Amino acid sequence: MRERIHAFDFLRVLCLLGVIGYHYWPNYLPSGLLAVQGFFVLAAYLTMVKRQNSDSRAILPELGGRLRRLFPPLLILLLPLAVLMLLDFPDFIANFAGQLRSSLLGFNNYFQIFQGDSYFEGASYLKPLTHLWALSLEIQYYLLFYLFCWPFYRRERRLPALLIVLVLTCASLGFNSYLCIGGLDESRIYYDFLTRFYAFGFGIIAALIRREYLGPLLTSEDEAERDISFHLVQISSCLLLILICGAYFLPLELSDILLWALPAYALVFALALCLCDDKAAYLAVIGRFSLVKYLSEQSYWLYLIHYPVIRLSERYLAFVDLPAWAYPLIALSITIILAELARLCLKFLRWLFSPLGKSKLMPWAGRILAGLIAVGLIITPWGQIGESLATDELTDLQTKIAEEEARQLAERESIRQALTATRSTILEPTRPTEPETPVLKDPEGRPIDSILSWQKPSAEEVQIAPALLEQLQRIGGMAEQLVISKEDFALYRHIPVTIIGDSVSVIAGYHLEPYLPGACLDALSNRQMDSLLEVYEGLKQDGLLREVLVIALSTNGDPLPEELKKVHDDWQKPLVIVTIALPYPGQEEYRNSLLRKFAKEHENVWLVDWGKISRGRADFFMEDLIHPADPLGCQAYCQAIAAKVIEIAKLHDEAKKLQWQLAEASEEARDESE
């Protein structure tokens, strides 16, 4: 057996840190998802090296040995996780069951493609097995390699094997580029084995070239033979290491990652494997450290466990008042502890089913038991069991979203037809305003322009509104700082408002009418910030932009300050931005910090801090901890927006009154002077 390649241990740990870092701190390692390419390249490289060192033509023993390394840890993860999901999160069991079965059968990646699950958009549902798409991709590679490459590879005919793999790799790269340029669904490209095979191909090609052609040139067994060329090779491997690590921090667009960053990373990683495949390699020194060896040996366990721990800890700690940085540290600590316990558990089971003397019965008993557990997990009717325990809240959510989107379309069409009669106009003072009008400022010291106008409420409305507010406040259960005075509610709730939102606004829109009867709601499920400008221009063209514009996005992706700035510069009226509440503390804090910063740096921008208002209020949310619950959370959400809009309207009304007073005073002064 060949001596362990310690440099590869270090590279494996770097890949592990990239993957885990991306899931724990995606805002600081925005391209950490590149690291999974390293696992693919390394797996292909090592399987090819093993084939080169083996004279066996047997397929099943080799394939069985590989699968026996992968599946027992997977079963140890899935069995308790399935029980936990069934007991605590039955509303999410349907999708979980599909991911569980597909993971055991090796097609989790295609299951997510068929389900339309995105790896990049914010998801309402708890999906703790999303990361197993990569394991399924690796299983598919092993099946392909052991069924085709292993039995047909011949050392004396290595050139045809190299050419075949090279052709397949180029075909995979071409197919990936074609789909990227064609604008196909990005998750499909990211998950598909056909668009990812090139990473495995690079690993196979690197092993073939390194061992068959460059071995004598790059390997120096004798220390005396290590000349300047050896050190140049090792320095080059260290430079490649810098590229591998630095790539995690690049703020790349998703389209660029799929089109060229992933292939480039796989190529660089394959080259690094070639250069440091030597027991005397510089990186081998680091790979011999105890911590690096331990993390390398635990890498598969940590990979399996870390993502479910992240998603579940976010649920359990969602309403615990902790700083955002504390959540990933807690989850990381739990991951390390569980990984060690799981490893010891598997070690104990293997000892328990180890051969007794010359008996071969016990190992087979362990394999049969593992197979029965896997079959049991696959055939268990998780959907029916989950339905009997679920609240049906999330099932109703999709129905509500579809109905509300249809209602919005009908309402906007009705508004377009009556546009000439209902369009609001900007009233300017018709009398001179000398001396110069002083600038009225909001509570934060920002100037306010007097540009609002709306139809004043009738006497009947003023009489009815206070009783309505009392009823709404009883239902809403809002914090004291959001209580609207009866007088202001009666006078200003009819101000025309346009709201651009996502599915959170769709659900809350059911309760918007009593708070803001003049609101035009344009909300769509899964809408992201990059569509803001397009939606804004469409509303502007249709004449549906009112006196105040409310933007309630960022649930499904990071805010884009440049998009907000374009809208702000063109709008020139009060702009309200609503922060978000997510069960992912790190993402919530990062996205809300960008929104708060934008509101602070730009004039006439107001903030509804829904993330802060809803903190600690589990009763405000549905089971997904994103969408507001009906009625309490929806009422709270609508009241928060209404309170800010009414505050803006009141300040602008005061500004108008001040303008008229100054105009009258100026006219009186002119009359006296004459």
Side-chain angles (χ1 to χ4, degrees), residues 493-533:
R493 76 187 187 100
H494 281 277
I495 182 172
V497 178
T498 299
I499 301 175
I500 300 176
D502 50 28
S503 58
V504 174
S505 302
V506 172
I507 296 302
Y510 280 89
H511 299 267
L512 187 62
E513 176 70 19
Y515 287 101
L516 296 169
C520 171
L521 177 62
D522 188 306
L524 192 65
S525 178
N526 292 324
R527 176 177 283 166
Q528 299 197 37
M529 186 67 79
D530 58 8
S531 63
L532 171 61
L533 194 59

Side-chain angles (χ1 to χ4, degrees), residues 72-270:
L74 183 61
L75 290 176
I76 290 177
L77 166 71
L78 294 181
L79 183 58
L81 185 58
V83 174
L84 180 64
M85 289 290 294
L86 200 60
L87 294 177
D88 282 2
F89 305 101
D91 287 294
F92 302 101
I93 201 67
N95 185 276
F96 173 82
Q99 290 205 353
L100 182 148
R101 295 188 180 105
S102 61
S103 298
L104 287 170
L105 295 174
F107 65 93
N108 178 283
N109 55 327
Y110 285 107
F111 172 80
Q112 296 195 61
I113 290 175
F114 298 147
Q115 289 292 109
D117 292 344
S118 174
Y119 191 73
F120 310 103
E121 296 178 2
S124 304
Y125 297 95
L126 176 59
K127 300 174 182 177
L129 299 180
T130 299
H131 67 308
L132 293 185
W133 71 270
L135 178 61
S136 293
L137 213 66
E138 210 164 303
I139 291 172
Q140 292 157 23
Y141 161 73
Y142 288 136
L143 292 173
L144 177 68
F145 180 84
Y146 285 107
L147 293 178
F148 294 98
C149 186
W150 184 275
F152 298 114
Y153 171 78
R154 300 288 189 278
R155 184 178 292 274
E156 61 274 9
R157 299 177 61 189
R158 55 183 180 265
L159 185 59
L162 177 62
L163 292 177
I164 291 173
V165 176
L166 184 60
V167 169
L168 293 176
T169 302
C170 291
S172 176
L173 279 171
F175 186 53
N176 176 75
S177 301
Y178 171 76
L179 296 182
C180 288
I181 295 173
L184 194 69
D185 176 52
E186 292 167 331
S187 290
R188 156 75 193 279
I189 301 171
Y190 190 77
Y191 288 136
D192 201 331
F193 178 75
L194 298 179
T195 61
R196 285 299 198 120
F197 175 77
Y198 64 81
F200 299 102
F202 284 155
I204 295 174
I205 293 170
L208 283 169
I209 294 176
R210 175 66 173 80
R211 295 303 181 89
E212 305 291 356
Y213 299 101
L214 301 179
L217 298 176
L218 297 179
T219 304
S220 300
E221 297 291 341
D222 188 355
E223 186 174 353
E225 296 178 1
R226 295 171 194 164
D227 54 11
I228 186 65
S229 62
F230 168 80
H231 295 289
L232 287 176
V233 167
Q234 296 308 311
I235 291 173
S236 300
S237 69
C238 294
L239 293 177
L240 292 178
L241 179 66
I242 295 174
L243 288 177
I244 290 171
C245 296
Y248 301 158
F249 300 92
L250 297 177
L252 300 175
E253 295 291 336
L254 180 56
S255 57
D256 293 330
I257 289 176
L258 295 174
L259 181 61
W260 63 265
L262 284 170
Y265 184 91
L267 185 60
V268 170
F269 200 91

Side-chain angles (χ1 to χ4, degrees), residues 86 93-94 97 101 375-388:
L86 200 60
I93 201 67
R101 295 188 180 105
V375 172
L377 289 173
I378 292 173
I379 66 174
T380 298
W382 299 106
Q384 290 83 339
I385 298 174
E387 286 179 5
S388 64

